[in-house]
Amino acid sequence: MKKATLLIKNAKQLLTLSSNKKGPRNGKEMEDLGLIEDGVVAVSGKKIVAVGKTKDVLVKIKIDRKTKVINAQDKVVLPGFVDCHTHPVFGATREEEFELRIKGKSYEEIAQAGGGIRSSVRSVRQLSKDELIRLALPRLDRFLSYGTTTIEAKSGYGLSLKDEIKILEVIKKLNQIHPLSLIPTFLGAHEIPDEYREKRQEYIDLLIKQMIPEVAKRKLALFCDVFCEKGVFNIDESRKILETAKSYGLKPKLHADQLISFGGSELAAELKAVSADHLEFISDSGIEKMKQSGTTAVLLPGAVFGLGKDNYPPARKMIDMGLQIALATDFNPGSSFTESMPMILSLACLRMKLTPAEAITAATINSAYAIDKGDSIGSLEPGKKADIVIWDVKNYKEISYHYGVNLVDKVIKNGEVIR
Ligand code: NIG
Ligand code: FE
């Protein structure tokens, strides 16, 4: 008999997200939440040891005075959200651009005029690691408080060898000192920085010859991402950067087809990227090719909403064509300034016509696979990390239905109640 250090019992709905299938869910499978009524999760240390109906599990599990028991009666229990696309390390916020866009300027116009990503780069370059850590910590608290237990975290506001390493070291440090898990991605190809505007080839050489090798050598990132878009990195440049990254053991990801249909999703498929993200303007052939290559479509409705636009990606079509999709906040100071996954679920349901069940699948098990962590997080199954969130709702559908408020009751990270 296994001894439990933590027992969550009598959950009105326990969404396990477990399935016989290994890998991300697609098509009709996205509706299957592995729902157990009157459910239990038993935890020993940092891991889940048993999941099932309260009456079935309680006879198999040993508890004693040291076991922490939580009664989740009238509550819903699910895996912590996995936010598989964020840019959490930056300096100054950009609310002036927010107002400029409301008054009619476009994201691209602001970027061309030297604002946008490049203004965040100027800010990050002036800050020390300690200052960046101090600024990031309350953001990480907010991710947790809205039910997220793991984020993917990109660099990309340094754009020099020294400043990109600085951001990745900040991400590493944050992962050590904060309960939230951070999975690092190198995004040196986020923009061409100010000093290379007239010699972009030299910046690409810097990425390929110095930055990627150094990041790989220091083991500071698992993934390499490129902002593949008109006016940023074109298809050939993106291919070259990501092939180099692959040869150094960094797995490819792409920001693709966000502003126009540009061929980024086809390139993601060609490179067998782990994910292609955004995809507001993906073509049907892009959907088909990504499905064939097993590349997950990471959809970021917060970036459409945050830019005040209506061009949400064709999520329904992707699901119907059998392409696996995941959801993320794209938390960043420019296009999507929110740490709230419940907000993203509401947008996914209301603006992309996902059902509440599909949205939860996309934000848990599928987003775990979008960062290659599907074996350890994203569902509640014996052997997986005990990253569990208890919601103050009676039906999981309320999480996306009751928008704009925080319905999290408790957050359990690595088997410990931290909120
Ligand atoms: O995912 N598209 C590129 N990067 C971010 C925006 C970054 C910024 O504006 O600072 C995004 O939307
Ligand atoms: Fe992004």
Short mmCIF file of all heavy atoms in Angstrom, two decimals, residues 6 8 11-17 41 43 48 70 72 74-83 141-150 180 341-342 345 360 363-364 378-380 385-393 396 399 406-419:
data_model
loop_
_atom_site.label_atom_id
_atom_site.label_comp_id
_atom_site.label_asym_id
_atom_site.label_seq_id
_atom_site.Cartn_x
_atom_site.Cartn_y
_atom_site.Cartn_z
N LEU A 6 -0.41 13.71 0.55
CA LEU A 6 -1.50 14.66 0.27
C LEU A 6 -2.63 13.88 -0.39
O LEU A 6 -2.39 13.03 -1.26
CB LEU A 6 -1.01 15.75 -0.69
CG LEU A 6 -2.07 16.67 -1.28
CD1 LEU A 6 -2.62 17.63 -0.23
CD2 LEU A 6 -1.50 17.48 -2.44
N ILE A 8 -6.48 14.56 -2.05
CA ILE A 8 -7.59 15.45 -2.43
C ILE A 8 -8.77 14.53 -2.68
O ILE A 8 -8.69 13.65 -3.55
CB ILE A 8 -7.24 16.25 -3.70
CG1 ILE A 8 -5.95 17.04 -3.49
CG2 ILE A 8 -8.39 17.18 -4.08
CD1 ILE A 8 -5.36 17.58 -4.78
N ALA A 11 -13.83 15.19 -4.94
CA ALA A 11 -13.98 16.23 -5.97
C ALA A 11 -15.27 15.99 -6.75
O ALA A 11 -15.53 14.86 -7.17
CB ALA A 11 -12.80 16.18 -6.92
N LYS A 12 -16.03 17.04 -6.91
CA LYS A 12 -17.29 16.89 -7.66
C LYS A 12 -16.98 16.41 -9.09
O LYS A 12 -17.60 15.49 -9.58
CB LYS A 12 -18.04 18.22 -7.69
CG LYS A 12 -19.40 18.12 -8.34
CD LYS A 12 -20.32 19.22 -7.80
CE LYS A 12 -21.67 19.27 -8.49
NZ LYS A 12 -22.35 18.02 -8.70
N GLN A 13 -16.01 17.07 -9.71
CA GLN A 13 -15.52 16.60 -11.01
C GLN A 13 -13.99 16.58 -10.94
O GLN A 13 -13.37 17.59 -10.61
CB GLN A 13 -15.93 17.54 -12.14
CG GLN A 13 -17.43 17.63 -12.38
CD GLN A 13 -17.76 18.56 -13.55
OE1 GLN A 13 -17.04 19.51 -13.84
NE2 GLN A 13 -18.87 18.26 -14.22
N LEU A 14 -13.44 15.42 -11.23
CA LEU A 14 -11.99 15.31 -11.32
C LEU A 14 -11.66 15.09 -12.80
O LEU A 14 -12.05 14.09 -13.39
CB LEU A 14 -11.52 14.13 -10.47
CG LEU A 14 -10.07 13.70 -10.62
CD1 LEU A 14 -9.13 14.77 -10.11
CD2 LEU A 14 -9.82 12.39 -9.86
N LEU A 15 -10.97 16.06 -13.41
CA LEU A 15 -10.61 15.92 -14.83
C LEU A 15 -9.19 15.37 -14.89
O LEU A 15 -8.24 16.09 -14.59
CB LEU A 15 -10.68 17.27 -15.55
CG LEU A 15 -11.95 18.12 -15.35
CD1 LEU A 15 -11.93 19.30 -16.31
CD2 LEU A 15 -13.20 17.31 -15.58
N THR A 16 -9.07 14.12 -15.23
CA THR A 16 -7.73 13.51 -15.22
C THR A 16 -6.96 13.79 -16.50
O THR A 16 -5.73 13.77 -16.49
CB THR A 16 -7.85 11.98 -15.07
OG1 THR A 16 -8.50 11.45 -16.22
CG2 THR A 16 -8.62 11.61 -13.81
N LEU A 17 -7.68 14.00 -17.62
CA LEU A 17 -7.03 14.15 -18.93
C LEU A 17 -6.20 12.93 -19.28
O LEU A 17 -5.29 13.00 -20.12
CB LEU A 17 -6.16 15.42 -18.98
CG LEU A 17 -6.82 16.76 -19.30
CD1 LEU A 17 -7.45 16.78 -20.68
CD2 LEU A 17 -7.81 17.21 -18.27
N VAL A 41 -7.41 12.32 -5.80
CA VAL A 41 -6.02 12.26 -6.25
C VAL A 41 -5.17 12.06 -5.01
O VAL A 41 -5.27 12.83 -4.05
CB VAL A 41 -5.54 13.57 -6.92
CG1 VAL A 41 -4.16 13.38 -7.53
CG2 VAL A 41 -6.51 14.04 -7.98
N VAL A 43 -1.27 11.79 -3.50
CA VAL A 43 0.08 12.25 -3.85
C VAL A 43 1.06 11.72 -2.81
O VAL A 43 0.75 11.68 -1.62
CB VAL A 43 0.10 13.80 -3.85
CG1 VAL A 43 1.51 14.33 -4.02
CG2 VAL A 43 -0.83 14.34 -4.93
N ILE A 48 2.12 12.02 -8.23
CA ILE A 48 0.79 11.43 -8.07
C ILE A 48 0.96 9.92 -7.94
O ILE A 48 1.73 9.31 -8.69
CB ILE A 48 -0.08 11.77 -9.30
CG1 ILE A 48 -0.30 13.28 -9.37
CG2 ILE A 48 -1.41 11.02 -9.26
CD1 ILE A 48 -0.93 13.76 -10.67
N ILE A 70 -7.45 17.21 1.77
CA ILE A 70 -8.26 18.34 1.30
C ILE A 70 -9.59 17.80 0.81
O ILE A 70 -9.63 16.90 -0.04
CB ILE A 70 -7.56 19.08 0.14
CG1 ILE A 70 -6.22 19.67 0.62
CG2 ILE A 70 -8.46 20.19 -0.41
CD1 ILE A 70 -5.41 20.31 -0.50
N ALA A 72 -12.51 18.30 -1.46
CA ALA A 72 -12.83 19.12 -2.65
C ALA A 72 -14.30 18.98 -3.04
O ALA A 72 -14.66 19.12 -4.21
CB ALA A 72 -11.92 18.74 -3.81
N ASP A 74 -17.90 19.76 -3.96
CA ASP A 74 -18.44 20.91 -4.69
C ASP A 74 -17.37 21.69 -5.44
O ASP A 74 -17.55 22.85 -5.79
CB ASP A 74 -19.20 21.86 -3.75
CG ASP A 74 -20.51 21.25 -3.29
OD1 ASP A 74 -21.08 20.44 -4.06
OD2 ASP A 74 -20.95 21.55 -2.18
N LYS A 75 -16.22 21.07 -5.66
CA LYS A 75 -15.16 21.76 -6.42
C LYS A 75 -14.74 20.89 -7.61
O LYS A 75 -15.04 19.70 -7.67
CB LYS A 75 -13.95 22.00 -5.51
CG LYS A 75 -14.33 22.83 -4.26
CD LYS A 75 -13.31 23.88 -3.95
CE LYS A 75 -13.88 25.00 -3.12
NZ LYS A 75 -14.18 24.63 -1.74
N VAL A 76 -14.02 21.51 -8.51
CA VAL A 76 -13.51 20.80 -9.68
C VAL A 76 -11.99 20.78 -9.61
O VAL A 76 -11.36 21.78 -9.24
CB VAL A 76 -14.00 21.49 -10.99
CG1 VAL A 76 -13.33 20.89 -12.21
CG2 VAL A 76 -15.52 21.35 -11.12
N VAL A 77 -11.41 19.63 -9.93
CA VAL A 77 -9.96 19.45 -9.82
C VAL A 77 -9.39 19.14 -11.20
O VAL A 77 -9.93 18.26 -11.90
CB VAL A 77 -9.64 18.30 -8.83
CG1 VAL A 77 -8.15 18.01 -8.80
CG2 VAL A 77 -10.15 18.63 -7.43
N LEU A 78 -8.36 19.84 -11.60
CA LEU A 78 -7.72 19.52 -12.87
C LEU A 78 -6.22 19.74 -12.82
O LEU A 78 -5.71 20.32 -11.86
CB LEU A 78 -8.36 20.24 -14.08
CG LEU A 78 -8.61 21.71 -14.20
CD1 LEU A 78 -8.47 22.13 -15.64
CD2 LEU A 78 -10.01 22.01 -13.74
N PRO A 79 -5.51 19.23 -13.82
CA PRO A 79 -4.06 19.47 -13.85
C PRO A 79 -3.78 20.96 -13.95
O PRO A 79 -4.58 21.69 -14.55
CB PRO A 79 -3.59 18.77 -15.13
CG PRO A 79 -4.75 18.03 -15.69
CD PRO A 79 -5.99 18.47 -15.00
N GLY A 80 -2.69 21.42 -13.39
CA GLY A 80 -2.30 22.81 -13.57
C GLY A 80 -2.19 23.11 -15.06
O GLY A 80 -1.78 22.25 -15.85
N PHE A 81 -2.55 24.34 -15.44
CA PHE A 81 -2.40 24.71 -16.85
C PHE A 81 -0.93 24.76 -17.22
O PHE A 81 -0.07 25.12 -16.40
CB PHE A 81 -3.02 26.08 -17.12
CG PHE A 81 -4.52 26.08 -17.11
CD1 PHE A 81 -5.23 27.04 -16.41
CD2 PHE A 81 -5.25 25.12 -17.81
CE1 PHE A 81 -6.62 27.06 -16.39
CE2 PHE A 81 -6.63 25.12 -17.80
CZ PHE A 81 -7.32 26.09 -17.09
N VAL A 82 -0.65 24.40 -18.47
CA VAL A 82 0.71 24.53 -19.02
C VAL A 82 0.62 25.65 -20.06
O VAL A 82 -0.10 25.53 -21.05
CB VAL A 82 1.14 23.21 -19.69
CG1 VAL A 82 2.53 23.36 -20.29
CG2 VAL A 82 1.11 22.06 -18.67
N ASP A 83 1.29 26.74 -19.78
CA ASP A 83 1.27 27.89 -20.71
C ASP A 83 2.51 27.76 -21.60
O ASP A 83 3.62 28.10 -21.19
CB ASP A 83 1.27 29.19 -19.90
CG ASP A 83 0.99 30.41 -20.77
OD1 ASP A 83 1.07 30.28 -22.01
OD2 ASP A 83 0.71 31.48 -20.20
N ASP A 141 4.12 35.04 -9.98
CA ASP A 141 3.06 34.85 -8.96
C ASP A 141 1.69 34.88 -9.62
O ASP A 141 0.81 34.10 -9.28
CB ASP A 141 3.11 35.98 -7.92
CG ASP A 141 4.32 35.88 -7.00
OD1 ASP A 141 4.95 34.80 -6.95
OD2 ASP A 141 4.63 36.89 -6.34
N ARG A 142 1.52 35.80 -10.57
CA ARG A 142 0.21 35.90 -11.23
C ARG A 142 -0.09 34.66 -12.07
O ARG A 142 -1.23 34.18 -12.07
CB ARG A 142 0.12 37.18 -12.08
CG ARG A 142 -0.37 38.39 -11.27
CD ARG A 142 -0.76 39.54 -12.18
NE ARG A 142 0.38 40.08 -12.86
CZ ARG A 142 1.21 41.02 -12.36
NH1 ARG A 142 0.99 41.54 -11.17
NH2 ARG A 142 2.24 41.44 -13.06
N PHE A 143 0.91 34.14 -12.80
CA PHE A 143 0.65 32.89 -13.54
C PHE A 143 0.10 31.82 -12.59
O PHE A 143 -0.91 31.19 -12.88
CB PHE A 143 1.96 32.36 -14.16
CG PHE A 143 2.39 33.02 -15.44
CD1 PHE A 143 3.47 33.90 -15.47
CD2 PHE A 143 1.73 32.73 -16.63
CE1 PHE A 143 3.88 34.50 -16.66
CE2 PHE A 143 2.14 33.32 -17.83
CZ PHE A 143 3.21 34.20 -17.83
N LEU A 144 0.78 31.64 -11.47
CA LEU A 144 0.35 30.61 -10.51
C LEU A 144 -1.05 30.88 -9.98
O LEU A 144 -1.87 29.97 -9.86
CB LEU A 144 1.30 30.58 -9.32
CG LEU A 144 2.52 29.69 -9.36
CD1 LEU A 144 3.26 29.81 -8.04
CD2 LEU A 144 2.17 28.23 -9.61
N SER A 145 -1.31 32.15 -9.67
CA SER A 145 -2.59 32.45 -9.02
C SER A 145 -3.75 32.19 -9.96
O SER A 145 -4.87 31.97 -9.52
CB SER A 145 -2.61 33.88 -8.48
OG SER A 145 -2.69 34.78 -9.55
N TYR A 146 -3.51 32.19 -11.27
CA TYR A 146 -4.57 31.87 -12.23
C TYR A 146 -4.54 30.41 -12.68
O TYR A 146 -5.12 30.06 -13.70
CB TYR A 146 -4.49 32.81 -13.44
CG TYR A 146 -5.06 34.19 -13.14
CD1 TYR A 146 -4.26 35.20 -12.63
CD2 TYR A 146 -6.42 34.45 -13.34
CE1 TYR A 146 -4.78 36.45 -12.32
CE2 TYR A 146 -6.95 35.69 -13.04
CZ TYR A 146 -6.12 36.68 -12.53
OH TYR A 146 -6.66 37.91 -12.23
N GLY A 147 -3.82 29.59 -11.95
CA GLY A 147 -3.91 28.15 -12.20
C GLY A 147 -2.89 27.57 -13.15
O GLY A 147 -3.03 26.42 -13.58
N THR A 148 -1.84 28.32 -13.48
CA THR A 148 -0.78 27.80 -14.35
C THR A 148 0.37 27.30 -13.47
O THR A 148 0.82 28.03 -12.58
CB THR A 148 -0.28 28.90 -15.31
OG1 THR A 148 -1.36 29.26 -16.17
CG2 THR A 148 0.90 28.45 -16.14
N THR A 149 0.85 26.09 -13.74
CA THR A 149 1.96 25.55 -12.93
C THR A 149 3.26 25.38 -13.73
O THR A 149 4.31 25.16 -13.14
CB THR A 149 1.54 24.21 -12.29
OG1 THR A 149 0.90 23.41 -13.29
CG2 THR A 149 0.58 24.42 -11.13
N THR A 150 3.20 25.48 -15.05
CA THR A 150 4.41 25.44 -15.88
C THR A 150 4.26 26.45 -17.02
O THR A 150 3.19 26.52 -17.64
CB THR A 150 4.62 24.04 -16.51
OG1 THR A 150 4.76 23.08 -15.47
CG2 THR A 150 5.85 24.00 -17.41
N LEU A 180 6.84 28.12 -9.67
CA LEU A 180 6.43 27.88 -11.06
C LEU A 180 7.58 27.23 -11.83
O LEU A 180 8.73 27.62 -11.67
CB LEU A 180 6.07 29.23 -11.70
CG LEU A 180 5.46 29.23 -13.09
CD1 LEU A 180 4.02 28.71 -13.05
CD2 LEU A 180 5.46 30.64 -13.68
N MET A 341 -4.51 32.15 -18.02
CA MET A 341 -4.99 31.12 -18.93
C MET A 341 -6.51 31.03 -18.96
O MET A 341 -7.08 30.80 -20.04
CB MET A 341 -4.36 29.75 -18.59
CG MET A 341 -2.94 29.59 -19.09
SD MET A 341 -2.78 29.65 -20.89
CE MET A 341 -3.24 27.98 -21.32
N PRO A 342 -7.23 31.22 -17.83
CA PRO A 342 -8.70 31.20 -17.94
C PRO A 342 -9.22 32.23 -18.94
O PRO A 342 -10.17 31.97 -19.69
CB PRO A 342 -9.16 31.52 -16.52
CG PRO A 342 -8.05 31.02 -15.65
CD PRO A 342 -6.78 31.26 -16.43
N LEU A 345 -8.85 30.71 -22.28
CA LEU A 345 -9.88 29.69 -22.53
C LEU A 345 -11.20 30.36 -22.93
O LEU A 345 -11.90 29.89 -23.83
CB LEU A 345 -10.10 28.83 -21.28
CG LEU A 345 -9.23 27.56 -21.22
CD1 LEU A 345 -7.77 27.86 -21.11
CD2 LEU A 345 -9.68 26.63 -20.10
N ILE A 360 -9.86 23.03 -22.47
CA ILE A 360 -9.09 22.48 -21.33
C ILE A 360 -8.05 21.47 -21.84
O ILE A 360 -6.89 21.49 -21.41
CB ILE A 360 -10.04 21.87 -20.28
CG1 ILE A 360 -10.74 23.01 -19.53
CG2 ILE A 360 -9.27 20.96 -19.30
CD1 ILE A 360 -11.74 22.58 -18.49
N ALA A 363 -5.14 23.32 -23.18
CA ALA A 363 -4.36 24.09 -22.21
C ALA A 363 -3.64 23.22 -21.18
O ALA A 363 -2.94 23.73 -20.31
CB ALA A 363 -5.29 25.07 -21.48
N THR A 364 -3.83 21.91 -21.28
CA THR A 364 -3.19 21.00 -20.30
C THR A 364 -2.32 19.97 -21.03
O THR A 364 -1.15 20.23 -21.27
CB THR A 364 -4.27 20.31 -19.43
OG1 THR A 364 -5.24 19.67 -20.28
CG2 THR A 364 -4.95 21.31 -18.51
N GLY A 378 0.62 17.72 -17.40
CA GLY A 378 -0.50 17.91 -18.33
C GLY A 378 -1.69 17.01 -18.08
O GLY A 378 -2.75 17.22 -18.67
N SER A 379 -1.53 15.99 -17.23
CA SER A 379 -2.67 15.14 -16.88
C SER A 379 -2.45 14.63 -15.46
O SER A 379 -1.34 14.73 -14.92
CB SER A 379 -2.81 13.96 -17.85
OG SER A 379 -1.67 13.13 -17.79
N LEU A 380 -3.51 14.11 -14.85
CA LEU A 380 -3.40 13.58 -13.49
C LEU A 380 -3.38 12.06 -13.58
O LEU A 380 -4.40 11.40 -13.72
CB LEU A 380 -4.59 14.07 -12.65
CG LEU A 380 -4.72 15.60 -12.56
CD1 LEU A 380 -5.95 15.99 -11.73
CD2 LEU A 380 -3.47 16.24 -11.98
N LYS A 385 3.96 14.45 -12.25
CA LYS A 385 4.16 15.48 -11.23
C LYS A 385 2.82 15.87 -10.61
O LYS A 385 1.83 16.04 -11.33
CB LYS A 385 4.72 16.74 -11.89
CG LYS A 385 6.21 16.83 -11.95
CD LYS A 385 6.53 18.31 -12.11
CE LYS A 385 7.86 18.58 -12.70
NZ LYS A 385 8.10 20.03 -12.83
N ALA A 386 2.84 16.09 -9.32
CA ALA A 386 1.61 16.51 -8.63
C ALA A 386 1.43 18.02 -8.77
O ALA A 386 1.63 18.79 -7.83
CB ALA A 386 1.66 16.08 -7.17
N ASP A 387 1.09 18.45 -9.97
CA ASP A 387 0.77 19.85 -10.27
C ASP A 387 -0.75 19.90 -10.49
O ASP A 387 -1.24 19.51 -11.57
CB ASP A 387 1.50 20.32 -11.53
CG ASP A 387 3.00 20.46 -11.34
OD1 ASP A 387 3.48 20.23 -10.21
OD2 ASP A 387 3.70 20.79 -12.31
N ILE A 388 -1.46 20.36 -9.48
CA ILE A 388 -2.92 20.18 -9.45
C ILE A 388 -3.58 21.49 -9.05
O ILE A 388 -3.08 22.20 -8.17
CB ILE A 388 -3.28 19.09 -8.41
CG1 ILE A 388 -2.49 17.80 -8.67
CG2 ILE A 388 -4.78 18.81 -8.40
CD1 ILE A 388 -2.46 16.84 -7.48
N VAL A 389 -4.69 21.82 -9.69
CA VAL A 389 -5.40 23.04 -9.31
C VAL A 389 -6.84 22.69 -8.93
O VAL A 389 -7.51 21.92 -9.63
CB VAL A 389 -5.35 24.10 -10.44
CG1 VAL A 389 -6.16 25.34 -10.04
CG2 VAL A 389 -3.90 24.49 -10.73
N ILE A 390 -7.28 23.24 -7.81
CA ILE A 390 -8.66 23.04 -7.35
C ILE A 390 -9.43 24.33 -7.65
O ILE A 390 -8.97 25.42 -7.31
CB ILE A 390 -8.70 22.71 -5.85
CG1 ILE A 390 -7.82 21.49 -5.56
CG2 ILE A 390 -10.15 22.47 -5.39
CD1 ILE A 390 -7.72 21.10 -4.10
N TRP A 391 -10.54 24.19 -8.32
CA TRP A 391 -11.32 25.34 -8.79
C TRP A 391 -12.60 25.48 -7.98
O TRP A 391 -13.28 24.48 -7.71
CB TRP A 391 -11.66 25.19 -10.28
CG TRP A 391 -10.42 25.25 -11.14
CD1 TRP A 391 -9.54 24.25 -11.38
CD2 TRP A 391 -9.93 26.41 -11.83
NE1 TRP A 391 -8.51 24.71 -12.19
CE2 TRP A 391 -8.74 26.02 -12.49
CE3 TRP A 391 -10.38 27.73 -11.97
CZ2 TRP A 391 -7.99 26.90 -13.26
CZ3 TRP A 391 -9.64 28.61 -12.75
CH2 TRP A 391 -8.45 28.19 -13.38
N ASP A 392 -12.94 26.71 -7.67
CA ASP A 392 -14.14 26.98 -6.90
C ASP A 392 -15.35 27.04 -7.84
O ASP A 392 -16.00 28.08 -7.97
CB ASP A 392 -13.94 28.31 -6.15
CG ASP A 392 -14.84 28.38 -4.95
OD1 ASP A 392 -15.59 27.41 -4.70
OD2 ASP A 392 -14.79 29.41 -4.26
N VAL A 393 -15.59 25.94 -8.54
CA VAL A 393 -16.72 25.84 -9.47
C VAL A 393 -17.31 24.44 -9.33
O VAL A 393 -16.64 23.53 -8.82
CB VAL A 393 -16.28 26.08 -10.95
CG1 VAL A 393 -15.75 27.47 -11.15
CG2 VAL A 393 -15.24 25.05 -11.39
N TYR A 396 -16.73 22.09 -14.75
CA TYR A 396 -15.54 22.64 -15.41
C TYR A 396 -15.88 23.70 -16.46
O TYR A 396 -15.08 24.57 -16.77
CB TYR A 396 -14.70 21.50 -16.04
CG TYR A 396 -15.35 20.87 -17.26
CD1 TYR A 396 -15.16 21.42 -18.52
CD2 TYR A 396 -16.17 19.75 -17.14
CE1 TYR A 396 -15.76 20.87 -19.65
CE2 TYR A 396 -16.78 19.20 -18.26
CZ TYR A 396 -16.58 19.77 -19.51
OH TYR A 396 -17.19 19.24 -20.61
N ILE A 399 -15.28 27.51 -15.95
CA ILE A 399 -13.95 28.16 -16.01
C ILE A 399 -13.86 29.08 -17.22
O ILE A 399 -13.35 30.20 -17.14
CB ILE A 399 -12.82 27.10 -16.01
CG1 ILE A 399 -12.83 26.33 -14.68
CG2 ILE A 399 -11.45 27.76 -16.25
CD1 ILE A 399 -11.93 25.10 -14.66
N ASN A 406 -11.16 35.43 -11.17
CA ASN A 406 -10.28 34.32 -10.80
C ASN A 406 -11.03 33.32 -9.92
O ASN A 406 -11.41 33.64 -8.80
CB ASN A 406 -9.04 34.84 -10.08
CG ASN A 406 -7.96 33.77 -9.99
OD1 ASN A 406 -8.22 32.59 -10.29
ND2 ASN A 406 -6.77 34.14 -9.59
N LEU A 407 -11.23 32.12 -10.44
CA LEU A 407 -12.00 31.09 -9.73
C LEU A 407 -11.11 30.01 -9.11
O LEU A 407 -11.60 28.97 -8.69
CB LEU A 407 -12.99 30.45 -10.72
CG LEU A 407 -14.01 31.43 -11.34
CD1 LEU A 407 -14.67 30.82 -12.57
CD2 LEU A 407 -15.05 31.82 -10.32
N VAL A 408 -9.81 30.27 -9.05
CA VAL A 408 -8.90 29.27 -8.47
C VAL A 408 -9.08 29.23 -6.95
O VAL A 408 -9.10 30.27 -6.29
CB VAL A 408 -7.43 29.62 -8.81
CG1 VAL A 408 -6.46 28.76 -8.01
CG2 VAL A 408 -7.17 29.44 -10.31
N ASP A 409 -9.23 28.02 -6.43
CA ASP A 409 -9.32 27.85 -4.97
C ASP A 409 -7.95 27.53 -4.38
O ASP A 409 -7.48 28.20 -3.48
CB ASP A 409 -10.34 26.74 -4.67
CG ASP A 409 -10.42 26.42 -3.19
OD1 ASP A 409 -10.65 27.34 -2.40
OD2 ASP A 409 -10.22 25.24 -2.82
N LYS A 410 -7.29 26.49 -4.91
CA LYS A 410 -5.96 26.12 -4.40
C LYS A 410 -5.06 25.68 -5.55
O LYS A 410 -5.52 25.08 -6.51
CB LYS A 410 -6.06 24.93 -3.44
CG LYS A 410 -6.63 25.28 -2.08
CD LYS A 410 -6.54 24.10 -1.13
CE LYS A 410 -7.18 24.46 0.22
NZ LYS A 410 -8.62 24.79 0.07
N VAL A 411 -3.76 25.99 -5.39
CA VAL A 411 -2.77 25.53 -6.37
C VAL A 411 -1.79 24.61 -5.66
O VAL A 411 -1.22 24.98 -4.62
CB VAL A 411 -2.00 26.72 -7.00
CG1 VAL A 411 -0.95 26.21 -7.99
CG2 VAL A 411 -2.96 27.67 -7.69
N ILE A 412 -1.61 23.43 -6.21
CA ILE A 412 -0.66 22.46 -5.66
C ILE A 412 0.45 22.28 -6.68
O ILE A 412 0.20 21.95 -7.85
CB ILE A 412 -1.37 21.12 -5.37
CG1 ILE A 412 -2.36 21.33 -4.22
CG2 ILE A 412 -0.37 20.03 -5.00
CD1 ILE A 412 -3.72 20.86 -4.50
N LYS A 413 1.68 22.54 -6.25
CA LYS A 413 2.82 22.43 -7.17
C LYS A 413 3.81 21.44 -6.57
O LYS A 413 4.19 21.58 -5.40
CB LYS A 413 3.46 23.82 -7.33
CG LYS A 413 4.70 23.83 -8.19
CD LYS A 413 4.41 23.60 -9.66
CE LYS A 413 5.68 23.28 -10.40
NZ LYS A 413 5.52 22.72 -11.71
N ASN A 414 4.20 20.43 -7.35
CA ASN A 414 5.10 19.39 -6.85
C ASN A 414 4.63 18.81 -5.52
O ASN A 414 5.43 18.58 -4.61
CB ASN A 414 6.51 19.96 -6.66
CG ASN A 414 7.23 20.09 -8.00
OD1 ASN A 414 7.09 19.22 -8.87
ND2 ASN A 414 7.97 21.16 -8.16
N GLY A 415 3.32 18.63 -5.39
CA GLY A 415 2.77 17.98 -4.19
C GLY A 415 2.58 18.89 -3.00
O GLY A 415 2.15 18.45 -1.94
N GLU A 416 2.87 20.18 -3.14
CA GLU A 416 2.68 21.10 -2.02
C GLU A 416 1.65 22.16 -2.32
O GLU A 416 1.65 22.74 -3.41
CB GLU A 416 4.01 21.80 -1.70
CG GLU A 416 4.85 20.98 -0.76
CD GLU A 416 6.05 21.76 -0.30
OE1 GLU A 416 5.87 22.87 0.23
OE2 GLU A 416 7.16 21.24 -0.50
N VAL A 417 0.80 22.44 -1.32
CA VAL A 417 -0.20 23.48 -1.51
C VAL A 417 0.54 24.80 -1.38
O VAL A 417 1.07 25.14 -0.31
CB VAL A 417 -1.30 23.39 -0.43
CG1 VAL A 417 -2.36 24.45 -0.67
CG2 VAL A 417 -1.93 22.01 -0.43
N ILE A 418 0.58 25.57 -2.47
CA ILE A 418 1.35 26.81 -2.40
C ILE A 418 0.46 28.05 -2.45
O ILE A 418 0.93 29.15 -2.22
CB ILE A 418 2.44 26.88 -3.49
CG1 ILE A 418 1.82 26.61 -4.86
CG2 ILE A 418 3.57 25.93 -3.22
CD1 ILE A 418 2.72 27.00 -5.97
N ARG A 419 -0.81 27.85 -2.80
CA ARG A 419 -1.72 29.01 -2.76
C ARG A 419 -3.09 28.59 -2.30
O ARG A 419 -3.61 27.59 -2.72
CB ARG A 419 -1.86 29.64 -4.15
CG ARG A 419 -0.65 30.41 -4.57
CD ARG A 419 -0.93 31.11 -5.86
NE ARG A 419 -1.43 32.45 -5.60
CZ ARG A 419 -0.66 33.54 -5.52
NH1 ARG A 419 0.64 33.44 -5.68
NH2 ARG A 419 -1.19 34.70 -5.27
#
